[in-house]
Amino acid sequence: MADNLSDTLKKLKITAVDKTEDSLEGCLDCLLQALAQNNTETSEKIQASGILQLFASLLTPQSSCKAKVANIIAEVAKNEFMRIPCVDAGLISPLVQLLNSKDQEVLLQTGRALGNICYDSQSSKEQFASTNIAEELVKLFKKQIEHDKREMIFEVLAPLAENDAIKLQLVEAGLVECLLEIVQQKVDSDKEDDITELKTGSDLMVLLLLGDESMQKLFEGGKGSVFQRVLSWIPSNNHQLQLAGALAIANFARNDGNCIHMVDNGIVEKLMDLLDRHVEDGNVTVQHAALSALRNLAIPVINKAKMLSAGVTEAVLKFLKSEMPPVQFKLLGTLRMLIDAQAEAAEQLGKNVKLVERLVEWCEAKDHAGVMGESNRLLSALIRHSKSKDVIKTIVQSGGIKHLVTMATSEHVIMQNEALVALALIAALELGTAEKDLESAKLVQILHRLLADERSAPEIKYNSMVLICALMGSECLHKEVQDLAFLDVVSKLRSHENKSVAQQASLTEQRLTVES
């Protein structure tokens, strides 16, 4: 077979140039056979032989063997190492031109070839962006009525649409209008082909919204017909459309201007109604998407109070009993965004024993780092934004203190900092209630370690010293501070390059000396 293959490749080089039809067909059949037996090895040999460069000339509309050549390209492009060589050999442009063919087989193989070349390959997608493939594909798509043909074009479109430049080209070529039409035609059908097409079409629509430029173009200041149509998906009875609608809103909600406009125009109520329909045995993907949209909408400061008074916290809390980590994660993120700098809301949630107990439980979700991190951050946020003694008491009673102490040792500086600020508030407002838990969580030893570690960020050192001073009001913690040589560590920090750290070190040193 191997000798045979090299003979074929030599022969193909000659026949490809003078285009002797019969022997050419024979050579191509041999290649397809070899690829069927051992794709990787055959592809390596094809690349080494330099034959790829000759394929471009065999892909012209006049060529009688274009379908076979496209088939060979589709086969070799299953290998990642062959995708860039296919692009370098100039095969994209002739393949794109073949999409206008009337021949079924040519269309099928061309679609496969393009789909495989751009599958998962960033650089080949960039090459595609400089061709008119977006326009050609959309033109072709508009002409197609058959399900299989449309599916094939979808398969080429989906990987291409991952590239932001191509997203914009597809939007400009009118793909969105085609997709909206498909959705409208297929929404009430229960035929399997139609259900597939509805899913593929609405998924692709959401993918186009992941690009900043394409998303903004379709939003058109909230007046866009596309945006309006997507809004109408949310109250529909079709789960796939509800999901795509909620994901689309989450994607439109990627900048403050869009978020503010949508909240002012009643999107929150639509999303809350959708969530309400999925509380009991609901569809997890729809829950997750609707919560993602609410979380993003809650980011601009001006939206928080509006969403709180619309009752978003109550709607979100209905999912506290969910056992699905993706839903738990988004629920936590939404609440954390909503209470940012909203003291009253933070206090109300922080006194909610059911919520706080669930947070403490999720702080131990070792298998789900995301849920664990978000629970810790929400616990800390409840204290930081409410500055309320009642909230601190609720968290102490529910066993949350040890988690905040552990959070101070997180590998993420932002989380360490949030923990230290919350602990300093606890020490300032409710030291007596929390001292036993702070002692058994070994807070003083942890603070010593953070101050002695040269890798600790300046703000961590600063907040650790603030906390040490606040702990001096407790007899047992004060004793622990004396037993560990804090003065040595702190006096070294007086010469720290960060002014605030150096200043705080002087103050802390005075406090330790006076109290020793």
Side-chain angles (χ1 to χ4, degrees), residues 138-207:
V138 175
K139 255 200 319 226
L140 185 69
F141 190 78
K142 287 176 177 165
K143 282 189 240 163
Q144 291 311 329
I145 331 159
E146 288 165 54
H147 171 74
D148 295 347
K149 291 275 246 341
R150 278 158 78 148
E151 276 298 305
M152 180 206 82
I153 301 170
F154 269 143
E155 278 167 30
V156 183
L157 282 171
L160 278 177
E162 285 168 19
N163 174 291
D164 280 358
I166 298 179
K167 280 188 183 78
L168 195 58
Q169 292 170 5
L170 290 168
V171 168
E172 285 169 347
L175 178 60
V176 174
E177 289 69 19
C178 298
L179 297 175
L180 288 172
E181 204 171 309
I182 287 180
V183 168
Q184 206 166 0
Q185 287 165 3
K186 313 289 180 187
V187 65
D188 298 319
S189 165
D190 42 17
K191 291 214 317 249
E192 198 156 326
D193 279 358
D194 290 347
I195 294 170
T196 315
E197 214 164 302
L198 178 78
K199 179 172 170 27
T200 320
S202 52
D203 283 349
L204 188 51
M205 179 79 205
V206 171
L207 182 58

Side-chain angles (χ1 to χ4, degrees), residues 392 422-432 434 438 443 466-467 469-471:
I392 294 171
L423 289 164
L425 282 164
I426 293 170
L429 297 169
E430 275 297 322
L431 187 53
L438 293 171
L443 174 61
V466 171
L467 185 47
C469 294
L471 295 176

